[in-house]
Amino acid sequence: MKKFNRFKGIKNRSLYLPAITILMVIITLGVLHTVSMIKTLDRNREQLSRFIKKEGADLISILKAEVILEKSFSNRLREFLNEVIKNPGIAYIALYDGNDKEWKVWSKLYKFSNIFSSEYISEKEWEKGSFQKIRKLPNAQNIFEIGEYIEHEVIKGIIIGTYMTPLEEARRQDIHHAILMGVILLILGSGAFYFIFVVQNYYLINRTLSEMKSYTEQVVESMASGLITVDMAGNIVSTNKKAVDLLKLNKKAFREPFISVISSEYLDLNRVILYGEEIIEKEIDFQRGKELIPLSLSATPLKDQEGESIGAVIIIRDLSEIRELQEKVRRAERLASLGRLASGVAHEIRNPLSSIKGFAQYFREKFDEGSEDKSYAEIIVKEVERLNRVITQLLDFARSKELNIQPYKISSIIEHTLKLIQGEFKKRGINLKTSLLNYPIEVDWDQITQALLNMFLNSIESMNSGGELNIKTVLKPEKRGVEIWISDTGVGISRENLTKIFDPFFSTKKGGTGLGLAITAKIIEAHKGEIIVESEEGRGTNFKIFLPLKKS
C-alpha cells in the first residue's frame, strides 16, 4: 500500500510541475511584455519630442529669416505670424525686443500677462542661445516651448509654444494598445495554460489508467486460479491464461455460452446472475479430453457502479495437488494405523512361530532320511522361515528407526548397492547403464542402501527375459537437491495399479510380500525426499527419487 501511495504522489507531482512551469513562463512573458511596452512608450515619446523640436526649430528658422529680412516690425511680418498661428499644433508665438515688458505674442490662448517675465526665461538660458522646456500654462494644455536668442535691431528672441496634445494622444494610444496587447496576451496565455493543463491532465490520467489496466491485466493473468467473466446472457467475455489451460479453451469459446464448457448441472449461473447468489468452492470432476481432473468452482455476481448486475465472475481452482496431498495424508494415516497393528500382531505371531519351527526341526531329525514325513517337516521349517522374514519386514516397516545421518557422495551409495546384485544382471541378461555425478548428500547409509536395493530388485524382477536398466543422477538446484532416475524396460505397471504400488502388502509378483516399495517409500520420506513413478503397461517403468543435498 505504501508503494502504491508513493506512486500516486509521483503522479501528482508530475501532473503539477509542468503546469507551474507554464505559469512561470506566462508570468515571465508578461514581465517582458511590460518592460518592452515601457521602452516602446519612452521611445515613441522621444521620437515625438524630436519631431516637435525639429518642427519648432524649422519654424524658428523661418521666422528668423523673416525677421532678419525686415528692418522693423512690419505688417508683412505680422501677417506671416497670423498665418503661422493658424497651424493647429502652434499654441503661441512670442517675439522679444530686449525689454521684459515688450513681448509681442500671437496666441490662441489668453491671459498671458507676466508669464514671460525674466523669472521664467533666465539669463543663463538666453546666454546659451536657445532653450526648450515643457510648461503648463493657465487654462491651457501642456505646452512645449522652444526658443532662440537672435541679434536684431527690433527682435532679440523668439519663443514658439506647441501643443503636446498629439504627443499625449499618441502616448495614450500606445498605452491603450500596450494594455490591449497585454490583455490579449494574458487571455491567450491563460487559454493556452488551461488547454495545456487539461491536455496534460488528460494525458497523465489516461496514462495512469492505461498503466493500472495493464497492471490489473498482469495480476489477473498471473493468478494461480482460473478466472472467467460472463455477461447477463451467460456468454464468456474474458478469461485468463490459467482458465484457458485448465479448461483447454480455444478462441471460439469467447462469446460462447459458458454452459458449453461446463454444464449447468455442475454450475447454475442463473442463480448467480439473476438472483445475486454466491456459489463458493463447489467441487466437480471435469472431463478434459481423456483425463478427469478435479476442479473447484466459485461464482459471484459482477455489478456496475450503480449496483446493477452485469454478469458473473467465475474462479476455477485445480484440486489435483490438493487431492494428491489428501491422498498422501490418508495413506500416511493408513500406514500409521497398519504399522501399529502390524507391530502388535508380529510380536504375537513370532512366539508361536518359534515353537512351531522348533518342533518341526525336532521331528525332522526323528524321521528317516528320504521319508515323506521328513520332507513335510522340512517344508514346515522353510515356510516358518519365510513367514518369519515377512514378519521381520513388517516390523521394519512398522518401526521408526532412528537415522544415522552422515555426508556421502550419492555415486558411492549407488555403486555399492549395484555391486550387491551384480550377479543378477548377468543371470538375467540385463544391460546396465549408469550416469552418476558426485553430488554430496546427508543420509543414513544402511537405510538408503536398503531403499535403493528394493528399487533395483523390483526393476530387475520386472525384466524376466532381459532388458536394460538405466540409472542416472540429475541435479535439481531449484529444489536444492538431486534426483536418482531409475528406468527399466520391464513389463510396466497398469494405470489402476499405479497408485497402489507403495501400499503395504500390495504386489503383482508371484510370492511377493508387497512390503519392499512400501518400506522404500517410508525410508525416502524419513530423509525428506520424494518418489515419483511413471509407467505404462508393456513399456517399462521410470522412478525418480529426490533427496536433498548436503546443507553446507
Side-chain angles (χ1 to χ4, degrees):
M1 184 62 71
K2 289 183 179 179
K3 290 184 178 179
F4 182 79
N5 290 337
R6 191 179 302 117
F7 170 80
K8 184 178 180 181
I10 291 173
K11 290 297 181 184
N12 289 336
R13 287 196 294 271
S14 64
L15 177 65
Y16 290 111
L17 279 176
I20 294 173
T21 303
I22 296 170
L23 181 61
M24 294 302 297
V25 169
I26 293 175
I27 294 173
T28 303
L29 290 177
V31 171
L32 293 176
H33 173 72
T34 303
V35 173
S36 175
M37 177 186 70
I38 293 172
K39 289 184 177 180
T40 301
L41 291 175
D42 291 341
R43 187 169 54 251
N44 291 342
R45 179 182 178 86
E46 184 179 353
Q47 289 176 354
L48 286 172
S49 298
R50 285 200 300 267
F51 174 75
I52 293 173
K53 283 192 291 183
K54 184 178 181 301
E55 187 178 12
D58 292 340
L59 188 56
I60 286 175
S61 298
I62 295 173
L63 287 174
K64 185 177 178 180
E66 288 291 336
V67 169
I68 292 173
L69 290 175
E70 293 293 334
K71 298 297 182 181
S72 62
F73 198 82
S74 63
N75 291 331
R76 183 175 177 276
L77 181 57
R78 183 180 288 106
E79 291 175 359
F80 177 75
L81 291 173
N82 288 332
E83 289 297 325
V84 172
I85 200 65
K86 293 179 181 179
N87 189 324
I90 304 299
Y92 65 86
I93 301 173
L95 302 179
Y96 177 55
D97 60 358
N99 185 349
D100 290 344
K101 303 295 184 181
E102 297 297 333
W103 282 93
K104 295 180 175 61
V105 179
W106 277 259
S107 175
K108 299 173 183 177
L109 305 175
Y110 58 93
K111 295 182 181 179
F112 275 89
S113 59
N114 298 324
I115 63 172
F116 298 110
S117 64
S118 59
E119 296 177 358
Y120 177 70
I121 303 173
S122 66
E123 293 296 331
K124 291 182 178 180
E125 289 175 326
W126 282 114
E127 289 172 359
K128 292 178 182 178
S130 64
F131 70 92
Q132 58 189 33
K133 60 176 67 179
I134 297 175
R135 186 178 184 215
K136 184 75 173 177
L137 295 178
N139 301 318
Q141 299 179 359
N142 286 339
I143 303 296
F144 185 85
E145 297 174 336
I146 183 170
E148 186 173 345
Y149 181 78
I150 59 176
E151 290 292 341
H152 193 265
E153 296 176 358
V154 179
I155 304 300
K156 301 296 183 180
I158 302 174
I159 299 176
I160 295 178
T162 61
Y163 286 115
M164 293 292 293
T165 305
L167 178 62
E168 295 297 330
E169 185 64 28
R171 184 179 178 84
R172 282 196 299 271
Q173 290 180 359
D174 288 341
I175 292 173
H176 291 162
H177 177 73
I179 293 174
L180 180 62
M181 292 301 295
V183 172
I184 293 174
L185 178 63
L186 179 62
I187 293 173
L188 291 177
S190 300
F193 172 75
Y194 178 76
F195 176 76
I196 294 173
F197 184 82
V198 170
V199 169
Q200 186 189 28
N201 202 2
Y202 171 79
Y203 169 73
L204 290 176
I205 291 175
N206 189 52
R207 187 178 66 182
T208 303
L209 290 175
S210 178
E211 290 176 355
M212 290 301 297
K213 180 182 177 182
S214 177
Y215 177 78
T216 305
E217 289 176 352
Q218 292 298 323
V219 170
V220 172
E221 285 297 315
S222 302
M223 288 176 60
S225 302
L227 186 143
I228 297 177
T229 60
V230 298
D231 56 19
M232 291 294 292
N235 297 326
I236 297 175
V237 176
S238 65
T239 65
N240 67 349
K241 185 177 183 301
K242 187 66 175 180
V244 172
D245 294 339
L246 282 176
L247 304 180
K248 296 296 182 183
L249 299 177
N250 52 36
K251 294 182 179 180
K252 295 181 180 180
F254 293 96
R255 294 297 175 185
E256 292 294 325
F258 180 76
I259 58 174
S260 64
V261 179
I262 296 179
S263 172
S264 58
E265 176 185 353
Y266 299 115
L267 187 66
D268 188 3
L269 283 181
N270 288 332
R271 291 169 48 195
V272 180
I273 297 174
L274 299 180
Y275 304 108
E277 298 183 13
E278 293 184 353
I279 299 175
I280 306 297
E281 298 290 343
K282 182 176 182 180
E283 296 185 6
I284 67 169
D285 291 325
F286 179 71
Q287 188 70 41
R288 186 176 65 184
K290 295 182 179 180
E291 59 180 335
L292 195 66
I293 59 172
L295 297 179
S296 170
L297 302 179
S298 299
T300 56
L302 181 62
K303 299 182 179 181
D304 58 15
Q305 295 179 348
E306 298 177 355
E308 296 293 331
S309 179
I310 58 174
V313 178
I314 303 164
I315 304 295
I316 304 171
R317 289 197 305 127
D318 187 358
L319 299 180
S320 299
E321 293 184 1
I322 296 177
R323 291 280 178 90
E324 289 179 5
L325 291 174
Q326 290 174 345
E327 183 60 31
K328 287 182 179 179
V329 171
R330 285 194 292 266
R331 178 171 169 272
E333 291 175 349
R334 288 199 307 269
L335 292 179
S337 300
L338 185 59
R340 291 190 295 270
L341 176 63
S343 179
V345 172
H347 282 293
E348 294 298 325
I349 294 176
R350 260 192 166 178
N351 291 330
L353 283 179
S354 298
S355 300
I356 292 171
K357 183 179 179 180
F359 280 113
Q361 289 175 338
Y362 172 78
F363 286 117
R364 184 181 62 182
E365 299 298 329
K366 292 291 185 181
F367 295 133
D368 297 332
E369 191 69 32
S371 65
E372 187 175 357
D373 292 333
K374 189 176 184 66
S375 64
Y376 287 154
E378 289 178 350
I379 291 173
I380 292 172
V381 171
K382 290 180 181 179
E383 289 300 314
V384 168
E385 289 177 347
R386 188 176 71 85
L387 187 57
N388 194 48
R389 286 196 301 272
V390 172
I391 292 173
T392 301
Q393 290 181 340
L394 185 60
L395 285 174
D396 289 340
F397 172 75
R399 286 196 296 254
S400 297
K401 293 184 179 180
E402 184 177 352
L403 299 178
N404 181 22
I405 298 295
Q406 297 291 333
Y408 301 101
K409 291 183 179 179
I410 191 169
S411 58
S412 300
I413 300 175
I414 295 174
E415 289 170 354
H416 169 74
T417 307
L418 290 174
K419 286 180 181 179
L420 299 178
I421 54 174
Q422 190 173 0
E424 292 292 328
F425 293 109
K426 296 180 180 180
K427 179 181 177 182
R428 296 177 182 265
I430 295 173
N431 183 25
L432 175 64
K433 290 184 178 181
T434 59
S435 176
L436 307 178
L437 298 176
N438 293 328
Y439 296 123
I441 58 175
E442 291 182 336
V443 294
D444 185 310
W445 176 282
D446 293 334
Q447 292 202 37
I448 287 296
T449 300
Q450 181 185 356
L452 292 177
L453 187 62
N454 289 339
M455 298 296 296
F456 295 158
L457 288 174
N458 191 74
S459 295
I460 290 172
E461 291 172 358
S462 69
M463 296 182 287
N464 293 322
S465 57
E468 182 176 287
L469 179 62
N470 195 333
I471 302 173
K472 182 179 180 181
T473 54
V474 180
L475 181 66
K476 292 294 180 180
E478 70 279 3
K479 295 181 179 180
R480 297 188 59 82
V482 62
E483 284 185 351
I484 305 171
W485 293 4
I486 305 171
S487 303
D488 64 56
T489 57
V491 295
I493 304 170
S494 64
R495 182 184 295 273
E496 59 270 15
N497 292 334
L498 200 58
T499 58
K500 303 175 184 178
I501 60 173
F502 295 110
D503 291 343
F505 305 110
F506 176 82
S507 178
T508 58
K509 295 181 293 182
K510 187 177 180 180
T513 61
L515 289 172
L517 289 179
I519 292 173
T520 298
K522 187 175 181 180
I523 292 173
I524 299 301
E525 289 176 2
H527 284 80
K528 298 181 180 180
E530 184 181 10
I531 297 181
I532 299 174
V533 59
E534 298 173 353
S535 182
E536 188 173 343
E537 196 168 11
R539 300 188 65 178
T541 304
N542 298 322
F543 285 97
K544 293 181 180 179
I545 302 175
F546 172 80
L547 292 171
L549 288 170
K550 184 180 178 182
K551 293 181 181 179
S552 59

